[in-house]
């Protein structure tokens, strides 16, 4: 088994403000079910947390810039780490991720390299 990072990209930066309590409860319920299913299969390593949409970027010259609003569709909005026997299995597990219910969101599946 290998670890894979599911990288969630995109979404509405003000989703928590634009979502009713009922909608929020339904969304979080879907995430809870999905995480529980992964955990029951022994596939969940870390559920991760959503990331705040604001941030800073530092380049190789040590220049610091704010992350621009125009980049939100490509911005990493959260992550999880799962175990899978192959990238194909990890991709299949990611296909049912609740983030895909949100418009303009995607999941990137990346193998975590073992450096030992």
């Amino acid at each position: 088994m290998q670890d894979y990072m599911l990288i969630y990209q995109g979404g509405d930066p003000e989703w928590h403000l634009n979502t009713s309590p009922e909608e929020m409860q339904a969304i979080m319920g879907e995430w809870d079910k999905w995480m529980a299913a992964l955990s029951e299969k022994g596939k969940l390593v870390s559920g991760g947390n959503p990331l705040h949409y604001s941030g800073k970027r530092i380049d190789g010259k040590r220049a610091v810039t704010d992350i621009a609003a125009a980049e939100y569709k490509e911005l990493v909005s959260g992550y999880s780490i799962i175990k899978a026997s192959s990238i194909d299995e990890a991709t299949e597990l990611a296909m049912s991720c609740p983030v895909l219910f949100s418009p303009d969101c995607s999941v990137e599946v990346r193998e975590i390299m073992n450096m030992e």
Side-chain angles (χ1 to χ4, degrees):
M1 292 292 247
Q2 180 62 43
D3 288 351
Y4 291 86
M5 180 174 276
L6 306 182
I7 303 166
Y8 311 130
Q9 292 180 298
D12 176 4
E14 296 183 347
W15 67 272
H16 59 290
L17 301 174
N18 298 329
T19 305
S20 72
E22 296 79 18
E23 291 171 319
M24 181 70 73
Q25 185 175 8
I27 292 166
M28 295 314 294
E30 290 299 317
W31 278 97
D32 289 344
K33 283 192 281 187
W34 186 66
M35 293 286 185
L38 288 174
S39 184
E40 288 170 11
K41 295 175 188 174
K43 301 293 183 179
L44 184 64
V45 175
S46 170
N49 287 307
L51 301 175
H52 198 282
Y53 281 88
S54 65
K56 302 284 185 181
R57 179 170 288 131
I58 305 164
D59 68 18
K61 296 179 183 177
R62 308 300 189 266
V64 178
T65 56
D66 288 326
I67 295 174
E71 299 174 25
Y72 283 147
K73 68 181 178 182
E74 297 175 6
L75 187 65
V76 174
S77 56
Y79 67 94
S80 296
I81 299 174
I82 62 170
K83 285 196 174 300
S85 59
S86 67
I87 195 160
D88 291 332
E89 181 188 10
T91 301
E92 185 64 31
L93 292 168
M95 294 291 281
S96 58
C97 178
V99 78
L100 297 173
F101 298 140
S102 300
D104 301 320
C105 287
S106 63
V107 178
E108 184 175 325
V109 180
R110 302 282 300 274
E111 183 176 341
I112 298 173
M113 293 176 60
N114 184 349
M115 299 300 287
E116 294 178 4

